[in-house]
Amino acid sequence: MLVIKEAFEEKQIEQIRQLYEAAFPANEKKPFHLILEKRAIGLVEIFTIEDEKKRFRGLIITILHKDMVLIDYFAIDEAYREIGIGSDVLRLFTSKYAQKRVFLEIESTISEQVEDYEIKKRRKGFYERNGLAPMNYLINLFDVEMEIMTFKCEVSFEEYHEMLVHVYGKKMHKKVQFIRNV
């Protein structure tokens, strides 16, 4: 049985930081201290994923704004991938936020000419099998073409953009751009 709980203990935060640094490309990571600062003022949540023996299995970092929850970062420890933990976590997480609009960003799969296309396509397939559907627009987030995928809801580009600017300040205004409808 898996448990998703907010991480406050130093050991939990360190495990999350290590997985965060290992699991995400440098151009997609925010400084970890910034995530901690935003959590301290209630704009970000940091969750640890643990098994029944309280062993670390993964992380979820979210951004909260109005009735929206952005799964900003989601990773399962590499040793525990491909055994269904990710799907279980998404089910638990979306039931926790059943009254909110839950969504995430993934690197675009629109063009087959992008680097690591097969990995990106497999990741998108995982999210689709778990109930997410892509919005009909692409965004540029820090010079990375991204898609927004949601759990049975609509999130406009304007709402998404407002959320990021609200949480990370006006400097985000130009770092997040609408590319086009698809």
Side-chain angles (χ1 to χ4, degrees):
M1 170 135 180
L2 294 170
V3 175
I4 302 170
K5 62 182 182 180
E6 282 199 73
F8 293 106
E9 298 172 16
E10 193 172 315
K11 178 183 175 186
Q12 293 171 326
I13 297 297
E14 183 54 25
Q15 290 170 321
I16 289 167
R17 188 194 63 73
Q18 287 178 15
L19 179 56
Y20 173 80
E21 294 298 338
F24 300 100
N27 65 334
E28 293 181 22
K29 288 187 286 195
K30 297 170 187 73
F32 198 72
H33 69 86
L34 180 61
I35 292 169
L36 293 173
E37 288 171 16
K38 297 303 178 178
R39 181 186 64 173
I41 58 174
L43 299 174
V44 168
E45 294 175 314
I46 302 173
F47 295 97
T48 183
I49 301 163
E50 297 176 351
D51 68 12
E52 65 280 351
K53 295 183 180 176
K54 297 187 177 187
R55 293 177 296 203
F56 179 72
R57 295 295 181 252
L59 66 84
I60 299 177
I61 299 172
T62 65
I63 295 175
L64 306 171
H65 182 63
K66 297 182 179 178
D67 70 330
M68 297 179 289
V69 178
L70 168 63
I71 300 174
D72 204 18
Y73 299 97
F74 171 47
I76 301 299
D77 186 293
E78 192 170 9
Y80 300 97
R81 293 180 189 157
E82 307 291 329
I83 59 172
I85 289 176
S87 295
D88 291 345
V89 168
L90 288 175
R91 272 191 299 281
L92 288 168
F93 190 80
T94 54
S95 67
K96 174 181 175 55
Y97 287 104
Q99 303 306 313
K100 302 270 186 185
R101 291 185 288 163
V102 178
F103 64 103
L104 52 79
E105 312 138 332
I106 63 165
E107 289 182 85
S108 177
T109 60
I110 300 300
S111 170
E112 293 183 26
Q113 308 307 316
V114 296
E115 186 178 328
D116 297 327
Y117 174 76
E118 289 304 319
I119 293 169
K120 293 171 186 173
K121 190 74 171 166
R122 192 172 65 230
R123 185 176 298 128
K124 183 176 182 179
F126 164 78
Y127 287 122
E128 288 174 329
R129 286 188 304 280
N130 283 283
L132 285 103
M135 293 283 80
N136 66 347
Y137 58 88
L138 297 176
I139 61 168
N140 178 317
L141 179 62
F142 291 98
D143 296 322
V144 178
E145 187 174 287
M146 305 287 273
E147 297 176 50
I148 301 295
M149 297 189 75
T150 69
F151 287 94
K152 300 177 180 97
C153 64
E154 295 288 323
V155 176
S156 71
F157 171 76
E158 292 76 19
E159 291 173 308
Y160 167 75
H161 189 265
E162 176 189 312
M163 171 187 253
L164 293 182
V165 170
H166 173 76
V167 174
Y168 290 109
K170 292 188 184 218
K171 63 185 173 190
M172 285 297 289
H173 180 71
K174 292 185 180 179
K175 303 289 184 184
V176 183
Q177 299 172 341
F178 177 85
I179 296 177
R180 70 179 186 278
N181 287 316
V182 291

